[in-house]
Amino acid sequence: MNFNLYLDDKTAEELDRTAKTLGETRSGLIRKALREWLDKKTLGSPGWPSSILEWQGSPDVPPFESHRDELLPPREDALS
């Protein structure tokens, strides 16, 4: 969906500067900001920031599941 958005000069300049710094387009930056704002409003709480939701992990850290074979097997009766 497309629509027009009119910004004052100061806001437009700051948007351009920030988009360039982040390597984003103006539209992409506005889209992300609006999505974050809507998520916060519709979830009724801050929700997870996009930086958390988009995180792909660290290549230096082994996957959590890679150590599963080191765990002891479960007991026959978990409450004993």
Side-chain angles (χ1 to χ4, degrees), residues 31-60:
R31 198 170 26 255
K32 283 183 179 181
L34 182 56
R35 180 75 267 156
E36 283 185 27
W37 186 84
L38 288 170
D39 287 346
K40 287 178 184 179
K41 292 298 180 187
T42 57
L43 292 174
S45 65
W48 293 103
S50 61
S51 58
I52 299 295
L53 296 173
E54 295 169 4
W55 190 65
Q56 296 295 310
S58 176
D60 300 334

Side-chain angles (χ1 to χ4, degrees), residues 1-72:
M1 172 190 267
N2 294 320
F3 65 94
N4 291 327
L5 176 67
Y6 297 97
L7 304 172
D8 60 87
D9 291 338
K10 181 180 178 185
T11 303
E13 289 170 6
E14 189 172 347
L15 176 63
D16 286 340
R17 200 171 36 255
T18 303
K20 185 176 181 180
T21 300
L22 296 175
E24 298 272 355
T25 63
R26 285 182 290 189
S27 294
L29 195 57
I30 292 169
R31 198 170 26 255
K32 283 183 179 181
L34 182 56
R35 180 75 267 156
E36 283 185 27
W37 186 84
L38 288 170
D39 287 346
K40 287 178 184 179
K41 292 298 180 187
T42 57
L43 292 174
S45 65
W48 293 103
S50 61
S51 58
I52 299 295
L53 296 173
E54 295 169 4
W55 190 65
Q56 296 295 310
S58 176
D60 300 334
V61 178
F64 174 77
E65 294 295 324
S66 67
H67 296 287
R68 183 157 299 278
D69 59 339
E70 298 171 17
L71 296 173
L72 297 174

